[in-house]
Amino acid sequence: CASGGSSGRRGVFVYGLDAWATVFISYLRFSARLTQEIVGADLPTMAMIAADKATHMTSALGQTFAPPGAVMHRLPATWPLARIVDELNALQPVVVQGYATMIHQLTHEVAAGRLRIAPRLVGTTSEPLLPEIRAAITASWNVPVFNGFGSTEGLMGGSCRAERGIHLSDDLFVIEPVDAHGDPVAPGEHAAKVYLTNLYNLTQPLIRYELTDEMTVMDAPCPCGIALLRIDDLQGRWDDCFVYPGGPTVHPLTF
């Protein structure tokens, strides 16, 4: 897989099959838990608006694995928005997931009356879920929001019923929040970046690898009962869309 962001130096990451399965399960456990709590045991029709390139994490995982029995429809984020809207109207998915910027665009389509779906759960991933995007989702559908975190390096996470905050898979990584100079920061303090040490990918080990996502560790226990490391919603390193004045909005994956 190649790192998908437009900032920083492009990285390439290699996995063995066992580690690749661990990556998928370490993300699925967060989204599946919330989906079951909201939707129930029956696996719903799901739609994912994300990458279509084989080297991108969201695409590569989806081409290799799927939740058992689930029906997942993958819609490339590089499609024209009108085509995505038409597909969603035809599918009527119970769960909608995608890049935060794409979900934000869909809320505008709801307001305009062009998108007519009634999801019971909306999920965002790969980009920060900014407060205005969360507010737009609530205004459009008034349903729980799953805020997923995924990195090409293999660190995965996801939100719970507490909504604010993301649990990270620190049972699979040593996660060291640090300041801009590389010095450790305490819980509750803003970290400029994190150092990651991978505990499971023996094909390409990472030892104190620098990830420039800005995060703040939340030290209070989460009411959901998950004991994994919990961080506040990420707000840094956002890849913005290209907006033509009076015209279409183009996701950075297109470029």
Side-chain angles (χ1 to χ4, degrees):
C1 290
S3 56
S6 62
S7 61
R9 181 178 296 176
R10 175 62 57 91
V12 176
F13 301 90
V14 183
Y15 293 87
L17 183 57
D18 288 347
W20 189 233
T22 300
V23 171
F24 176 71
I25 295 169
S26 67
Y27 185 83
L28 179 66
R29 59 178 168 176
F30 296 110
S31 60
R33 171 176 168 148
L34 190 57
T35 300
Q36 288 186 347
E37 290 177 351
I38 301 301
V39 179
D42 295 334
L43 290 169
T45 300
M46 309 168 73
M48 167 69 84
I49 305 101
D52 58 349
K53 291 184 178 179
T55 56
H56 195 282
M57 199 72 165
T58 56
S59 178
L61 283 172
Q63 293 179 56
T64 314
F65 305 110
V71 180
M72 173 66 80
H73 300 271
R74 303 187 60 83
L75 312 181
T78 50
W79 277 2
L81 184 59
R83 181 179 179 183
I84 294 174
V85 169
D86 288 343
E87 288 285 336
L88 291 174
N89 282 334
L91 291 172
Q92 289 298 307
V94 176
V95 178
V96 176
Q97 301 181 43
Y99 295 140
T101 49
M102 292 304 304
I103 299 297
H104 198 194
Q105 291 185 58
L106 294 182
T107 63
H108 299 322
E109 295 299 298
V110 171
R114 290 184 288 268
L115 180 59
R116 299 173 295 277
I117 59 175
R120 296 175 59 187
L121 177 66
V122 174
T124 63
T125 187
S126 299
E127 300 165 339
L129 176 58
L130 302 179
E132 58 266 32
I133 300 178
R134 184 186 287 276
I137 294 171
T138 300
S140 298
W141 296 294
N142 195 28
V143 297
V145 178
F146 173 74
N147 187 12
F149 174 87
S151 69
T152 316
E153 295 82 0
L155 178 63
M156 297 291 168
S159 62
C160 59
R161 288 299 290 266
E163 292 196 356
R164 180 183 166 187
I166 300 171
H167 295 281
L168 296 179
S169 52
D170 66 333
D171 53 344
L172 300 172
F173 273 86
V174 177
I175 303 172
E176 302 176 71
V178 297
D179 61 20
H181 304 289
D183 296 322
V185 301
E189 296 181 8
H190 180 77
K193 54 189 177 181
V194 292
Y195 292 152
L196 301 178
T197 299
N198 193 315
L199 301 178
Y200 68 92
N201 185 9
L202 305 183
T203 303
Q204 184 181 2
L206 301 176
I207 300 175
R208 305 199 82 203
Y209 178 92
E210 181 182 277
L211 187 69
T212 55
D213 287 317
E214 302 176 14
M215 60 179 62
T216 302
V217 173
M218 305 173 73
D219 54 353
C222 185
C224 81
I226 296 177
L228 296 173
L229 183 72
R230 184 170 171 236
I231 62 172
D232 203 352
D233 288 348
L234 291 166
Q235 301 299 314
R237 215 177 74 163
W238 184 45
D239 296 332
D240 203 359
C241 290
F242 190 90
V243 181
Y244 288 93
T249 299
V250 183
H251 194 274
L253 277 180
T254 305
F255 303 110

